[in-house]
Amino acid sequence: MNDDFRHDGVKNDNVIIEPNKTPDTTMPMVVYALYLISFVVGFTSVIGVVIAYVYRGKGPAWLDEHYRYQIRTFWIGLLYATIATLLVLVAIGVPLLIALAVWLIVRCVKGFRSLQEKRAPNNVDTWLF
C-alpha cells in the first residue's frame, strides 16, 4: 500500500515529501564570514563558533564536517593567538600574528570553496591548512 495512505485507505496529509532538497549552506558561510570579519571586529569569531556549535549535528555528514572544521579553527586559532601574543614581548610574536592571519584566511577560503562544491573540507583534523 502507498505510504501516503493510512491503513483504512484515508490519505495521510502529514506526509511531507521534499524531492532532492539540497542542504542550506547559509549558516556555515555566515560562520566563515564572521571569522573573517573578526579582523575588524574582534568578537565576531565568538559568535561564529557559537553558531557552529548550535548547528552541528543538524545536517548531512559533509555539512557537519564544516561545523567541526570551524570549531577547530576557532580553538586552534585562539591557542595560536595566545602564544603569539605572549611572544610579542620577545619580538617574534608579530610575525607569528601575521602568520596566524594568513592561516585563518586560508582556512576560511578553503571552507568557502568546499561549501560551494557541496563537500566536506579537506583535512579537517589538521592544525595547519
Side-chain angles (χ1 to χ4, degrees), residues 113-126:
R113 191 180 71 198
S114 59
L115 265 176
Q116 294 291 328
E117 297 170 357
K118 304 257 190 278
R119 62 174 178 80
N122 295 331
N123 301 325
V124 175
D125 292 325
T126 187

Side-chain angles (χ1 to χ4, degrees), residues 54-96:
V54 168
Y55 281 87
R56 180 178 61 170
K58 293 185 167 92
W62 67 269
L63 201 53
D64 287 342
E65 286 296 301
H66 276 280
Y67 292 123
R68 185 166 162 254
Y69 185 71
Q70 292 166 337
I71 291 166
R72 288 179 53 81
T73 298
F74 175 82
W75 290 112
I76 294 169
L78 184 64
L79 175 66
Y80 289 165
T82 303
I83 293 168
T85 302
L86 291 173
L87 291 175
V88 165
L89 300 173
V90 291
I92 193 171
V94 174
L96 290 176

Side-chain angles (χ1 to χ4, degrees), residues 30-63:
V30 167
V31 174
Y32 287 123
L34 287 170
Y35 283 178
L36 292 174
I37 293 170
S38 70
F39 285 114
V40 179
V41 185
F43 65 89
T44 59
S45 60
V46 175
I47 296 168
V49 77
V50 168
I51 291 171
Y53 272 116
V54 168
Y55 281 87
R56 180 178 61 170
K58 293 185 167 92
W62 67 269
L63 201 53

